[in-house]
Each structure stands twice: as C-alpha cells, then as structure tokens.
Amino acid sequence: MTQAISSKEVVILEEGSVTLPLGFKAGGMHCGIKRKKLDLGYIVSDVPAIAAGVYTTNIFQAAPLLVTQESIAKENKIQAILVNSGNANACTGEQGLNDAFEMQKEFASELGIQSHLVGVTSTGVIGELLPMGKIKTGIKQILMNEYENEENFKNSILTTDTCMKQIAVQVKIDGKTVSIGGTAKGSGMIHPNMATMLGFVTTDANVAHDDLLYALKDVTNQTFNMITVDGDTSTNDMVLVMANGLVANNQLTKEHPDWGLFVDGLKIVCESLAKKIARDGEGATKLIEVQVNGAYSQNEARAVGKSIISSNLVKTAIYGTDPNWGRIVTAAGYSGVPIEPSLLDVSLGQYKVFEKGLPCPIVEGQVKEYLQQENIKILVELNQGDYHATAWGCDLTYDYVKINASYRT
C-alpha cells in the first residue's frame, strides 16, 4: 500500500513494526508479574540512538517515567527500552523509584552498556510494588534467542488491549531508504492530554535531537493528543522515539530538503497507532472520527473536536445508533470556543442533521443504519475560518463498565 505525500511517496507497511528499521531487535517473555501472559519486553538498538520522548501531564508521574527522562537528559541518547506490564510502578514512593533504577541497571548489565542508555517503562495496576525478584530473574533470561521475537514484544506490553498495534513506513532521504516503525499499547485510561498510552517508535534515520523532539511534539499534538476513550489520563503514559542513524543519511534537521517527508512519515505512524488505540477502547464496538472545519485557529478546531469526541453522551448515542445531533451541538457549545450558532453545520456521515443553527429533516432509519457501521464520521463545519482538526474516539458500551469494575481482580 502506498500513499502520495507532497508529490513524493511514503510506503506504508501495515504489518511493519519497530524491528523494520536497521539495527533494532525486540523480544519478550513471561516473568511472572501476570499469571500467564507475557509481561516483560525489550527493544534494543545495535548502537546508541538519539532519543526523544513526550510524557503524561498527570502530576502523579510513575517512577519509570522519571528515570527515563533523567537518562535521556544525560546525552539525548538511549540504546534500549525495557517494559513490563501488569504493574505500573506508580504511586510507590522511594521504593518504586529504586526499583525502576534497579531494572535499568540490571538490563544494562546484561547488554554490557551504561545504565543511562536504558529507558524503562511500566504499565498495569497502580499502587503496588514491583515483584523485583521475578523481574530480575526475567532480565537475566530475556536476551536468550527463544525470546527474541517481535511478536513477543508486542504481546508483552499489553494489558486490557484486545489486539496488537503496529505499523511502519519507508521514505527516501538523500536517495536512501529510511524506515520508521511503531508499536503501541492502549485501551483504557485514554484521554487527549499528551500521549495517553505507551508508544515506541524506531527509525534508522540520522536526525538531530532538537529537531526530532520538535517533530515528535508537533505530531503528538495532531495524533495521540486527539484521541480519547474514557477521559482518564494515566500516570504512566509516554511515547519514545529512537533514531540510530544506521542509514547514514545526511543529518536531518528542519533545514534538510527531505525534512517534511520524514515528518509526514512520522505522522502516518503516530496517527495510525492513535486510531488503533481509539478503536480498541475497552468494550468499544466502533471507531468515531470527528472532523472539525472552518475554525478561526488550529487550537480552536482541536478544542471543538476534543470536546465532542470526549462527550459520554455522544459516545453512548453512537453506541445506541441514535442520531442525536443535540449532543454533538451541546459538546461543541461547551468547548470554550466562541462559536457562532447560526453558522454551525453538523453531518453524520453523508447525512446533514444540523444546518445554520437549525435541525434538518432526516429519514431517521437511514441515519440509524449508517450508525450501525464500525467506522463513524461526524463532520462539524464552523464556517468561521480556515483551520481544521480531526479527533478520534470510540463508543461507550456496557462492556466498558464490566471491564473496569473488575480490573484489579
């Protein structure tokens, strides 16, 4: 599958992942944090890689995030990432911080590299100490050939997810093929406020650190920050990008003639992962896309989109195939954006349900039939400016309550 961007070509590989770029390997195993499922995974680069990250805005940042941020700050590089699932190591005080450093130290020792070149992250239940005996035993075994498997890594990071999320793209930089691969997890505690999940992106491009961080933040605002499942921002969310430079292209900066193509590739990876997370929302049956056009500014377009996609009343109406445009208009109205009601148009798919501030006559059965589809599009025309934004989410179902009512048991 290919997609043309800026008159050049980005090759999209839906089955690609973090091991497509040169010099990356990944794996995972069961070390005993969870009862049976894989729960300890890694990504390793052959050489230290330029690293950039974005992190949760939740004030209760989990210990691994603090350790990883401190490590990257030393020289803007890491060479490996170690991930555990089943236990978030969040709200665990000084002991949790010591455990995160211990994970880092142990894995670095197995790799024969300096500790600060290892990023660590955790996901799972909040407020419980890590079973460090099991984790340390797992770390001593995890690099064995039987565990070096990309599928193992993708499975090892999951919690309530029902599927793995992956994609890769390839672009031509300086005439050389550069790969960008991504894997993510996320299903619950998802809200558009930073990264809202765990995301891992690798590339074999040679990229300057400051420009890579700039690109990641900008792309995150357009993708991961524009999804929601349940309105909760986790303590452990992060997105990390590793660029090991093994393609040996001329260093990418914002001044490089192929910079825009690289950023487009990064955006495709992040947007795909974000949409897959939204569709895999706990108990979800539908992916909802809200497209907002005609705003005075980019921020206003995003604010309206986020407000609508975050509305529980909108989400339940979509689940119930109820063409209740009033809930959409209401969510736009409390977005904080100065909307002119008499200019507002709303459509559900091809069906216009609200025009210039007034309801439109519809054949309700036709609209209900459209709402039975798996992918639902809500189009909002503000008719006030030239800016637009897109947000993604899912419907809210009975199963969401069931899953979260018994999460710890």
Side-chain angles (χ1 to χ4, degrees):
M1 175 183 177
T2 61
Q3 179 171 339
I5 295 180
S6 303
S7 75
K8 298 185 179 180
E9 199 171 74
V10 176
V11 179
I12 302 175
L13 306 168
E14 290 288 352
E15 299 304 315
S17 189
V18 291
T19 56
L20 180 67
L22 297 176
F24 286 97
K25 60 184 179 181
M29 65 177 295
H30 171 70
C31 75
I33 302 172
K34 296 191 286 193
R35 293 176 185 174
K36 296 180 180 180
K37 297 180 179 180
L38 303 187
D39 50 20
L40 190 66
Y42 69 87
I43 301 172
V44 175
S45 171
D46 289 348
V47 297
I50 294 295
V54 286
Y55 309 91
T56 183
T57 56
N58 193 309
I59 197 169
F60 289 99
Q61 283 197 356
L65 273 70
L66 302 177
V67 171
T68 298
Q69 290 175 78
E70 178 181 306
S71 297
I72 291 177
K74 288 184 181 298
E75 53 181 315
N76 298 327
K77 292 181 179 179
I78 56 175
Q79 191 169 348
I81 300 170
L82 183 67
V83 189
N84 77 267
S85 60
N87 185 312
N89 192 14
C91 300
T92 47
E94 185 175 353
Q95 184 60 53
L97 194 61
N98 290 338
D99 289 344
F101 276 118
E102 187 70 12
M103 286 177 61
Q104 181 187 55
K105 177 182 175 182
E106 291 286 328
F107 195 44
S109 177
E110 292 298 313
L111 292 169
I113 62 177
Q114 294 178 293
S115 292
H116 73 272
L117 291 175
V118 174
V120 290
T121 184
S122 304
T123 181
V125 176
I126 293 172
E128 296 182 3
L129 292 174
L130 290 169
M132 287 303 295
K134 295 177 180 179
I135 290 176
K136 290 167 74 171
T137 299
I139 290 173
K140 292 185 181 302
Q141 301 172 358
I142 197 171
L143 294 177
M144 296 171 61
N145 289 338
E146 63 184 291
Y147 301 124
E148 186 180 317
N149 183 302
E150 181 185 343
E151 293 295 305
N152 282 6
F153 172 73
K154 289 182 289 190
N155 275 297
S156 70
I157 66 177
L158 305 182
T159 50
T160 58
D161 306 62
T162 65
C163 63
M164 295 178 286
K165 297 135 181 112
Q166 64 189 40
I167 191 173
V169 303
Q170 291 182 320
V171 297
K172 290 288 186 180
I173 304 292
D174 295 328
K176 300 179 179 182
T177 299
V178 163
S179 299
I180 306 171
T183 297
K185 66 83 54 184
S187 187
M189 290 194 81
I190 304 295
H191 188 61
N193 193 9
M194 204 292 304
T196 62
M197 31 64 83
L198 296 183
F200 307 100
V201 179
T202 59
T203 180
D204 42 24
N206 175 15
V207 192
H209 171 265
D210 289 353
D211 298 272
L212 182 63
L213 180 59
Y214 173 87
L216 177 61
K217 288 182 176 179
D218 184 53
V219 166
T220 295
N221 281 334
Q222 299 176 62
T223 59
F224 295 123
N225 272 358
M226 295 302 292
I227 62 173
T228 187
V229 170
D230 49 20
D232 281 294
T233 298
S234 172
T235 55
N236 290 61
D237 309 329
M238 72 163 72
V239 176
L240 293 177
V241 179
M242 299 173 67
N244 65 16
L246 289 183
V247 166
N249 57 283
N250 294 324
Q251 188 179 61
L252 279 165
T253 67
K254 284 178 280 190
E255 285 71 43
H256 191 290
D258 292 329
W259 174 251
L261 186 60
F262 174 78
V263 174
D264 285 340
L266 180 63
K267 183 181 177 184
I268 288 172
V269 169
C270 293
E271 181 177 310
S272 176
L273 295 176
K275 290 167 70 173
K276 289 175 181 179
I277 290 169
R279 174 60 185 89
D280 194 35
E282 291 169 340
T285 66
K286 300 170 186 175
L287 173 67
I288 307 170
E289 178 178 296
V290 177
Q291 183 176 328
V292 179
N293 296 327
Y296 279 128
S297 69
Q298 186 78 73
N299 287 338
E300 290 190 356
R302 289 174 180 169
V304 173
K306 287 181 180 183
S307 186
I308 294 170
I309 204 66
S310 301
S311 166
N312 285 339
L313 291 180
V314 172
K315 291 154 71 71
T316 51
I318 299 299
Y319 172 65
T321 68
D322 177 12
N324 191 339
W325 54 263
R327 295 181 175 181
I328 299 169
V329 171
T330 298
Y334 62 62
S335 65
V337 173
I339 294 170
E340 174 51 56
S342 65
L343 299 178
L344 184 67
D345 298 341
V346 176
S347 297
L348 294 170
Q350 64 186 15
Y351 302 102
K352 183 166 284 188
V353 294
F354 193 76
E355 184 173 21
K356 298 297 182 286
L358 295 172
C360 297
I362 61 171
V363 179
E364 185 153 332
Q366 292 179 344
V367 187
K368 286 182 70 69
E369 184 177 357
Y370 168 72
L371 294 177
Q372 292 172 6
Q373 298 181 28
E374 183 178 346
N375 296 306
I376 303 300
K377 184 174 181 178
I378 299 173
L379 177 62
V380 177
E381 298 280 357
L382 301 181
N383 294 305
Q384 297 181 172
D386 299 323
Y387 292 87
H388 60 88
T390 304
W392 299 273
C394 59
D395 55 345
L396 187 59
T397 72
Y398 302 114
D399 285 342
Y400 176 84
V401 177
K402 292 178 182 178
I403 291 167
N404 284 282
S406 58
Y407 179 69
R408 295 202 308 140
T409 56

